[in-house]
């Protein structure tokens, strides 16, 4: 096996690690359809298909860009001081396909990332990009046209997600000689994407919501979720996929993956409880919607910190996220921005909480080997985490606002007022989610023209 830093590194993959990351890649891909159920159940019945299509379309848009140049922008050799990967290095993925026979009946050497085939890593990381793009759509539910969304999604992935993911995920020597500045120079800890996924999507959702504008009738009219069972199914699928998201990021079936899995379970569970306690105290009722939202808030917060904190620390992260996010969803009414499905309140706030709490609750006994402030580590790590939060938030918000403004001024983003009132599904997709047979006549099996039995 080539042990130098000539990329891609060639060798024989580890079968157990490869099997785990293959499974994790499938789990992460499932998160985007899971998000479609989660978001789809939250909106009104007349726009559920449009909402789900905005999530699912991210799979197609991102995969095409990922193969052509996106993976290379994220994991190619860094340039401009760690700000972007070389988009040509792995363009088309052809450099990651070939292998060589070692001869003598030995194993075939193929391009590796760690001990797994590079193409498995490509598929695994593609799922991160897909779900991040899909997350942004929740901020503009019920009012953004589908074609402008697809255009926006492609541009946003290229100019926002790919650079930020390079900063955070591209470790020196992992896929290329030099990686991103947050991971390697700043040395902020973000194991699975609290900044690159959660804060990035939350800040982008806020910017997009401001450019697109408020839903007609908001906040005067009640705009309740139309299908709470779908929301809960979506939350369950997200929780399942999140084990692949976090534990799969170890790229090995090892103790690091075990820590990530246990902490992911703990944070999601306690965050649900914390959210329900807030609801009970504030509103007098603990709701199914709150339970689903609380689970997601905890999963968001533990994403960056899942290997840096102890299982007890994970409970602290989850509790803080459940309380903070349950309170933060009311900010849109105070400040007047229409974040339809609380991308800001859950993903931005949860991502900030989870990323900063590494600086407080990280323990040297865990894989990164760093102590936070409460473990005697001082303010250094907290400062590094804060810099990562501020830079990612600011970059995502400003570039997203610019992209959305250009799309708005060229092809428009907003649905026609009448279409928005009637329901975007019929006008954007010529479909409706629910068809009910008339009991007062018509044709077909249950109408007037049905022959007698």
């Amino acid at each position: 096996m080539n042990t130098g830093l000539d990329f891609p590194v060639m060798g024989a993959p580890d079968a157990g690690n490869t099997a785990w990351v293959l499974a994790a890649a499938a789990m992460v891909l499932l998160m985007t359809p899971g998000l479609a159920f989660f978001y789809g159940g939250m909106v009104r019945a007349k726009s559920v298909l449009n909402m789900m299509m905005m999530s699912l379309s991210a799979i197609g848009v991102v995969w095409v860009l990922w193969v052509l140049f996106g993976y290379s922008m994220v994991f190619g050799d860094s340039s401009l001081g760690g700000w972007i990967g070389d988009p040509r290095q792995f363009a088309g993925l052809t450099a990651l396909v070939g292998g060589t026979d070692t001869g003598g009946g030995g194993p075939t050497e193929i391009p590796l990332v760690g001990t797994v085939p590079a193409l498995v890593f490509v598929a695994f990381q593609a799922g991160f990009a897909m779900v991040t793009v899909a997350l942004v759509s929740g901020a503009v539910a019920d009012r953004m046209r589908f074609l402008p969304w697809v255009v926006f999604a492609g541009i946003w992935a290229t100019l926002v997600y790919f650079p930020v993911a390079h900063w955070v995920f591209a470790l020196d020597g992992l896929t290329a000689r030099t990686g991103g500045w947050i991971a390697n120079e700043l040395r902020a800890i973000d194991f699975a994407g609290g900044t690159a996924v959660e804060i990035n999507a939350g800040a982008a959702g806020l910017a997009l919501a401001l450019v697109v504008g408020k839903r007609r009738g908001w906040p005067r009219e009640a705009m309740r979720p139309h299908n709470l069972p779908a929301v809960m199914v979506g939350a369950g699928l997200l929780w399942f996929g999140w084990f692949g998201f976090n534990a799969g990021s170890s790229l090995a079936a090892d103790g690091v993956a075990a820590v990530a899995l246990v902490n992911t379970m703990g944070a999601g569970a306690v965050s649900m409880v914390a959210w329900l306690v807030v609801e009970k105290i504030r509103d007098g009722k603990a709701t199914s919607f709150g339970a689903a939202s609380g689970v997601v808030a905890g999963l968001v917060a533990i994403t960056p910190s899942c290997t840096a904190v102890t299982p007890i620390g994970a409970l602290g992260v989850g509790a803080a996220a459940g309380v903070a996010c349950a309170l933060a969803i009311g900010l849109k009414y105070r400040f007047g921005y229409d974040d339809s499905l609380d991308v800001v309140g859950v993903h931005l706030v949860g991502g900030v909480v989870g990323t900063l709490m590494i600086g407080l609750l990280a323990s040297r006994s865990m894989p990164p080997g760093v102590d936070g402030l409460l473990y005697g580590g001082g303010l250094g790590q907290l400062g590094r985490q804060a810099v990562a939060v501020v830079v990612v938030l600011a970059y995502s918000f400003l570039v997203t606002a610019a992209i959305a403004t250009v799309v708005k001024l060229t092809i428009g983003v907003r649905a026609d007022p009448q279409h928005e009132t009637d329901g975007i599904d019929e006008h954007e997709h010529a479909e409706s989610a629910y068809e009910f047979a008339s009991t007062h006549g018509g044709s077909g099996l249950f109408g007037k023209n049905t022959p007698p039995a």
Side-chain angles (χ1 to χ4, degrees), residues 293-349:
S293 300
V295 167
V296 173
L299 297 173
V300 166
I302 202 63
T303 294
S305 57
C306 58
T307 62
V309 300
T310 66
I312 293 295
L315 299 185
V317 171
V323 172
C325 294
L327 298 175
I329 60 172
L331 293 176
K332 62 185 180 183
Y333 299 104
R334 177 174 298 180
F335 294 107
Y337 62 89
D338 184 11
D339 170 22
S340 304
L341 306 185
D342 298 313
V343 180
V344 175
V346 174
H347 294 276
L348 177 57
V349 172

Side-chain angles (χ1 to χ4, degrees), residues 78 91 95 109 154 164 170 265 367 369 417:
S78 195
E109 290 194 339
V164 173
M265 174 67 82

Side-chain angles (χ1 to χ4, degrees), residues 103-170:
T108 299
E109 290 194 339
I110 62 173
L112 298 179
V113 174
T115 61
V116 305
L119 285 180
V120 176
F121 181 73
V122 167
F124 176 69
Q125 279 291 333
F128 283 64
M130 293 166 184
V131 76
T132 306
V133 172
L135 282 171
V136 179
S137 66
V140 290
D142 283 332
R143 60 198 188 276
M144 187 170 181
R145 293 189 294 121
F146 183 65
L147 177 59
W149 161 254
V150 171
V151 172
F152 168 85
I155 300 172
W156 189 85
T158 302
L159 298 183
V160 180
Y161 180 78
F162 296 160
V164 173
H166 177 74
W167 305 347
V168 175
F169 293 143

